[in-house]
Amino acid sequence: MQERSGEALRICVIGAGYVGLTTGTVLASFGHTVTIVEKDQAKLELLTAGRVPIFEPGLEELMGEDLESKRLSFSSDLASALEEAEVVFVAVGTPSSTDGSADLGAVENVSDEIARALRRPIVLVIKSTVPIGTSDAVSRRVHAGLRRRSDELAALGAVPDSGRVEELCDVVFCPEFLREGRALLDLVHPHRIVIGTRSVRALGLLKTLFASIDAPILVTDRRSAEAIKYASNGFLATKISFINEIANLCEATGADILDVAKGMGLDDRIGDRFLQAGVGYGGSCFPKDTKALLHIAETAGYEFEILRAVIDVNERQKRRVIELLDEHLDDLARRKIALLGLAFKPETDDIREAPSIVVAAELLARGAEVVGYDPQAAGNFANEVPGVRIAESAEEAIQGADAVVLLTEWREFLGLEPSAIKLGMRGDILIDGRNVLDPERVSQAGLRYRGIGRRAVDLGEAQELREGRERC
Ligand code: UGA
């Protein structure tokens, strides 16, 4: 099929979660006509009123423009949306089951609904992260459903000239690589677009769809595309666990992780991204996808040793700040600990698998008084960990604290004045779980600074080093 560059397509996106909502909104802003189908009535009402249920910079504004131009609409009626659509995205959740495998219930339900309702040709694009082989299974499932409806489709005049009802639905796997907090930027400027299909018709339509995006396109088979998604998240998680282990080693040997990571990153075979040591990775993707990948390997009879270690190291790393607190405070009971940052990373209100949850739960279990502050995620956190008192500001959280623990590198925390922190506190321990504060300034304010893999601050030595650098 000829590539239809610049042409507006009619799109249906199933699922108004993170991926569906941002993808649909961005595609509408490219000029395509998009209907996002969402079953949850309360969410649907909110979205139809132009309000976004998640915190994602720029999303509400862009969605407002799309709604105004009528390129974007919301609906709960999949069958009607399918009557118009040329391309249908599946962006439903694939949460972890208890054994770590991805729960495919929502993907299967959507496949069945499509098989029951389809009357015209579509390209079905799976965006949900699914185990290798799932898109093939979805394709078989939808095609079997369409074959069962052959007579009905013939009566409707919907059977393609070839006589093959299967041609009504080409299934493609197209992984999503967006990051929360910068989803719109990632969608408009992705590192790459991966299209898992062997269908020329589907490829033509998708190239038209993504015509406004300037990024390399890799076309491969569906299974390889599915593997690329898991392998990418697994590798990034590996980088994080690796640098966290190096950080712990730095601390044990007197090296400094920031210089080590910088020195490593200058080698472009290694690269300087994702080498920020800290309290471990969280969020809705890395924890879920690493576990699912491990399960995929187990099912295939393969022992994926590195990945198992990556997951274990991350679990241990979340508790690193507790170890640091234990080094400075003989007993955590009745100590007041302030947690700055509760979201799994900045620019989001998402607390799924956030290290803050593990840290707070452990502190509460040890009898500490825990007060937390986050610019966006406090509400979500309060529902998840009820025993934590929520403060309205960082300053309020710090008041009377024995120790302050920074868990999320929100920009507003970088501007905190160490002397003001010291003044508000009862104690003098500051744990920088993201290595974003200046140890020297913090120490000069009379606080005991601990980072993750940072060398202990010697103010005299630091002064000498500074003078030496100035002389050079
Ligand atoms: C991640 C991937 O980066 C995206 O490419 C992918 O599309 C997405 O998962 C997904 O599968 O949907 P996200 O979870 O939004 O995106 O956030 P990241 O920015 O990747 O951060 C994940 C976690 O790693 C955070 O807790 C962050 O604090 C931590 N991290 C990241 C580190 O501890 N150190 C680093 O150097 C980088």
Side-chain angles (χ1 to χ4, degrees):
M1 183 183 214
Q2 199 82 62
E3 190 177 321
R4 304 189 298 176
S5 175
E7 195 177 319
L9 296 176
R10 295 185 304 276
I11 298 161
C12 165
V13 177
I14 306 172
Y18 228 105
V19 171
L21 199 53
T22 51
T23 304
T25 302
V26 165
L27 287 174
S29 76
F30 288 167
H32 303 294
T33 307
V34 180
T35 303
I36 300 183
V37 176
E38 172 58 51
K39 287 253 150 81
D40 180 332
Q41 207 52 40
K43 201 174 191 182
L44 193 67
E45 277 169 28
L46 202 70
L47 291 166
T48 311
R51 299 203 1 245
V52 171
I54 46 172
F55 172 75
E56 180 63 36
L59 181 58
E60 193 154 291
E61 294 78 350
L62 194 63
M63 207 179 90
E65 288 170 24
D66 289 345
L67 286 170
E68 179 100 28
S69 68
K70 307 241 182 304
R71 284 191 302 264
L72 179 66
S73 59
F74 295 97
S75 167
S76 58
D77 184 355
L78 177 57
S80 304
L82 285 176
E83 284 179 15
E84 297 292 319
E86 297 165 276
V87 182
V88 177
F89 282 92
V90 177
V92 294
T94 52
S96 282
S97 308
T98 37
D99 63 357
S101 63
D103 177 348
L104 295 175
V107 173
E108 287 165 359
N109 286 342
V110 163
S111 310
D112 291 344
E113 271 190 66
I114 291 172
R116 276 198 299 272
L118 199 64
R119 291 153 169 250
R120 55 188 311 284
I122 58 161
V123 170
L124 183 63
V125 185
I126 301 180
K127 275 260 150 197
S128 309
T129 298
V130 291
I132 304 160
T134 304
S135 306
D136 287 356
V138 166
S139 181
R140 284 195 299 272
R141 198 173 178 115
V142 176
H143 289 168
L146 290 174
R147 278 196 297 274
R148 282 195 291 276
R149 290 176 53 223
S150 289
D151 292 346
E152 178 203 339
L153 290 165
L156 289 166
V159 178
D161 292 344
S162 64
R164 297 189 67 244
V165 286
E166 292 86 346
E167 286 178 13
L168 289 178
C169 181
D170 270 328
V171 177
V172 176
F173 184 74
C174 189
E176 184 48 69
F177 299 110
L178 64 83
R179 285 163 289 180
E180 291 188 17
R182 41 177 306 140
L184 302 187
L185 265 175
D186 283 349
L187 279 161
V188 178
H189 303 288
H191 291 115
R192 76 296 209 190
I193 295 172
V194 174
I195 303 178
T197 184
R198 290 293 182 226
S199 156
V200 177
R201 179 180 87 97
L203 185 60
L205 266 186
L206 287 191
K207 283 193 169 171
T208 303
L209 192 66
F210 298 132
S212 336
I213 300 175
D214 180 20
I217 297 182
L218 174 75
V219 182
T220 180
D221 60 277
R222 291 189 292 229
R223 284 174 187 251
S224 304
E226 289 162 339
I228 287 168
K229 171 66 190 183
Y230 277 115
S232 300
N233 275 0
F235 186 71
L236 291 171
T238 303
K239 264 188 124 173
I240 298 170
S241 277
F242 184 85
I243 204 66
N244 282 337
E245 292 235 270
I246 294 288
N248 299 341
L249 192 60
C250 282
E251 218 161 303
T253 54
D256 191 278
I257 190 62
L258 289 198
D259 284 348
V260 173
K262 197 171 177 183
M264 288 167 66
L266 287 170
D267 181 336
D268 61 13
R269 292 172 304 170
I270 298 172
D272 60 358
R273 318 280 296 274
F274 274 70
L275 287 183
Q276 283 157 34
V279 287
Y281 60 77
S284 64
C285 304
F286 289 171
K288 167 175 83 74
D289 292 350
T290 45
K291 280 184 217 136
L293 184 53
L294 198 61
H295 191 272
I296 292 167
E298 271 166 11
T299 310
Y302 183 74
E303 175 59 31
F304 200 151
E305 292 183 43
I306 291 182
L307 196 62
R308 191 177 293 284
V310 165
I311 296 168
D312 292 347
V313 165
N314 194 58
E315 284 312 305
R316 196 181 65 197
Q317 196 66 14
K318 290 182 189 170
R319 291 177 170 76
R320 181 70 192 132
V321 295
I322 305 284
E323 289 170 9
L324 293 176
L325 286 171
D326 277 334
E327 283 179 26
H328 291 278
L329 299 168
D330 42 18
D331 187 4
L332 292 178
R334 286 175 301 283
R335 298 286 194 173
K336 184 174 171 188
I337 314 289
L339 304 182
L340 298 187
L342 305 167
F344 82 97
K345 67 175 201 174
E347 303 300 329
T348 179
D349 61 357
D350 199 339
I351 56 143
R352 284 175 285 179
E353 304 276 349
S356 60
I357 297 174
V358 172
V359 172
E362 176 69 17
L363 289 172
L364 289 172
R366 302 268 294 270
E369 182 195 345
V370 188
V371 48
Y373 166 71
D374 190 284
Q376 292 295 336
N380 288 339
F381 189 84
N383 293 334
E384 180 80 22
V385 193
V388 172
R389 186 165 73 74
I390 297 296
E392 295 298 319
S393 66
E395 289 75 11
E396 185 195 324
I398 286 164
Q399 280 311 309
D402 293 294
V404 170
V405 182
L406 189 152
L407 290 174
T408 318
E409 65 277 34
W410 283 98
R411 214 168 305 140
E412 70 169 79
F413 300 151
L414 312 188
L416 287 173
E417 189 49 55
S419 51
I421 298 178
K422 174 75 173 65
L423 216 60
M425 289 175 70
R426 175 166 69 194
D428 63 356
I429 297 156
L430 196 154
I431 311 249
D432 179 3
R434 296 289 183 175
N435 291 342
V436 288
L437 302 176
D438 180 348
E440 221 182 293
R441 285 194 61 219
V442 172
S443 304
Q444 274 162 351
L447 288 162
R448 282 190 279 172
Y449 176 91
R450 293 300 297 268
I452 305 293
R454 304 302 312 271
R455 201 177 21 230
V457 184
D458 177 333
L459 287 177
E461 186 194 332
Q463 175 70 14
E464 267 175 42
L465 261 172
R466 228 188 354 266
E467 285 169 4
R469 270 201 299 270
E470 277 162 16
R471 275 198 300 275
C472 286

